[in-house]
Amino acid sequence: MILLAKASFYAGQVDKAYEYFNAAREYIREAEDIDCYFEAAIRNDNIDYAKDLSSRLRDDKPRYFRTLYEIGLYYKDIFSYEDARGYFSRVFMDYPDTMLSEQSLLEIALLDIKDAQYDEAVSRLKGVKSKSLENRKTVVLITAAYKTGRYQEGMDLLRKNINSIIKEPETKGLLRTTVDYLVSNDDAASILNYSRYIAVNFPEELDYMNISVANIYFRAKNYNKAFSWYSKVQLKSAYSTEVLYKMAIIHELFYRNSRAAMQLLQQLAESNESDEFVSAGMIELSILYYEKGQKDQSAKILTDIVG
């Protein structure tokens, strides 16, 4: 049964391996078998038994401390940050001068960021010497810079290291924060410097980037460019109502095409959505009908708005 469990585990059939290990539980003695059983248990969210299995590996330090580190990661993933910190701290303190110790120190620094202890996070990085962890250190430094309002410093680090850290799990969020900051400064050109990284690595963020650039041009009354960027946003995205409304306004005010504006506003009114853009669009549509002499239709829309 143990051989079946291990074969299933190494074949990537973790759930099946877990069933086999459970059936052979009382016969599992070897460190390798306990290690595999631990991995299967933690991936099946049996954290209590995973901790018991970890304790049975105390005499095998590399395996034991790796399991403690993985328990820390498990707690981090379920947002139990204090428990995670406890396990990472044990690895860092009790297994010094190892890669795993440095990895744990980095995880503690990331938890410091979550606790708004930014100086503490940066200070911990002095204990991380391994070149292979340089990208993780950079992520912490950029995050700390952003969280403390040092955006230019953070963006300089991001720009210099983006190719290296693009696969780090926090990079997507850092790019979103970067876009938000640049939007607040109406800096469309700088946002576009990151566009190819977003397009290739985080295509799900493209609509957010496109509407962010469009809104900058819209506020600057550069309606041609704004319209072009709004057109890049998928109409099935979370930003569809805003796009329809603002494209309608551009048709009305800039292109002097009230017919196209009314078509978009009608599409907005029929979208079954309910937000500020739908409400503003229906008011605008009512005004356009009134201006065209279609007062009954205008009044009907106003009645629908009032409810």
Side-chain angles (χ1 to χ4, degrees):
M1 189 68 72
I2 294 174
L3 288 174
L4 278 173
K6 289 168 65 175
S8 298
F9 180 82
Y10 288 124
Q13 299 172 336
V14 178
D15 290 346
K16 185 178 289 186
Y18 185 54
E19 292 177 11
Y20 288 138
F21 277 127
N22 282 337
R25 178 180 296 193
E26 61 184 291
Y27 304 106
I28 297 174
R29 301 283 188 274
E30 298 297 323
E32 181 186 356
D33 301 339
I34 296 170
D35 197 359
C36 290
Y37 194 5
F38 167 85
E39 292 289 344
I42 203 167
R43 292 190 209 177
N44 278 271
D45 293 319
N46 191 344
I47 187 62
D48 290 331
Y49 196 63
K51 287 193 280 190
D52 179 67
L53 289 165
S54 171
S55 68
R56 292 166 60 184
L57 291 166
R58 286 181 183 276
D59 293 336
D60 188 330
K61 277 193 171 184
R63 281 195 168 102
Y64 175 60
F65 284 104
R66 179 181 52 73
T67 60
L68 292 184
Y69 177 77
E70 290 189 24
I71 293 170
L73 292 178
Y74 175 87
Y75 278 123
K76 178 185 173 184
D77 287 344
I78 63 170
F79 312 110
S80 184
Y81 296 131
E82 283 310 305
D83 287 324
R85 184 184 289 275
Y87 278 92
F88 291 139
S89 295
R90 285 174 63 184
V91 177
F92 172 65
M93 297 294 293
D94 298 340
Y95 198 41
D97 304 319
T98 63
M99 175 69 74
L100 207 56
S101 177
E102 292 192 17
Q103 288 175 313
S104 296
L105 187 59
L106 264 174
E107 291 297 339
I108 295 170
L110 287 166
L111 292 174
D112 287 336
I113 293 287
K114 291 183 183 297
D115 290 338
Q117 298 174 8
Y118 307 119
D119 291 340
E120 185 73 16
V122 173
S123 178
R124 291 190 197 279
L125 297 183
K126 297 174 184 176
V128 180
K129 309 293 186 184
S130 174
K131 289 291 184 183
S132 66
L133 297 176
E134 199 65 34
N135 294 339
R136 301 296 292 146
K137 286 176 66 174
T138 301
V139 164
V140 174
L141 289 170
I142 296 170
T143 305
Y146 280 177
K147 293 290 187 179
T148 53
R150 295 175 287 120
Y151 286 100
Q152 196 56 57
E153 178 183 332
M155 285 191 296
D156 286 345
L157 276 171
L158 179 61
R159 186 166 49 251
K160 291 175 184 175
N161 296 281
I162 191 165
N163 288 313
S164 300
I165 69 167
I166 198 67
K167 298 300 182 183
E168 297 297 324
E170 297 83 4
T171 300
K172 177 180 173 179
L174 291 174
L175 283 169
R176 171 71 75 108
T177 301
T178 303
V179 169
D180 288 342
Y181 174 74
L182 294 170
V183 166
S184 71
N185 286 274
D186 291 328
D187 189 351
S190 292
I191 293 175
L192 297 181
N193 289 335
Y194 297 101
S195 61
R196 66 186 177 94
Y197 299 104
I198 293 172
V200 172
N201 298 282
F202 311 108
E204 68 278 10
E205 290 288 292
L206 271 177
D207 285 332
Y208 185 76
M209 186 198 73
N210 289 335
I211 199 166
S212 297
V213 173
N215 283 337
I216 291 172
Y217 288 128
F218 187 86
R219 287 194 297 272
K221 299 183 179 180
N222 188 338
Y223 295 124
N224 251 336
K225 281 191 174 182
F227 192 90
S228 175
W229 282 94
Y230 284 130
S231 298
K232 297 175 187 290
V233 180
Q234 298 179 71
L235 283 180
K236 291 184 178 180
S237 74
Y239 316 106
S240 59
T241 57
E242 182 177 0
V243 169
L244 287 170
Y245 174 72
K246 289 183 176 176
M247 289 178 76
I249 294 301
I250 292 171
H251 270 302
E252 181 186 356
L253 298 182
F254 184 66
Y255 296 130
R256 303 295 181 185
N257 188 341
S258 60
R259 180 180 178 183
M262 292 176 74
Q263 287 175 342
L264 289 172
L265 292 172
Q266 190 65 47
Q267 185 179 344
L268 181 60
E270 296 170 355
S271 66
N272 293 321
E273 301 291 339
S274 178
D275 61 22
E276 59 182 303
F277 299 108
V278 174
S279 298
M282 290 180 72
I283 292 171
E284 193 65 32
L285 183 58
S286 175
I287 293 170
L288 288 173
Y289 273 121
Y290 187 87
E291 290 175 348
K292 289 184 174 297
Q294 299 181 44
K295 296 181 181 180
D296 289 344
Q297 184 65 19
S298 175
K300 182 179 181 303
I301 293 172
L302 289 176
T303 300
D304 290 341
I305 295 170
V306 173

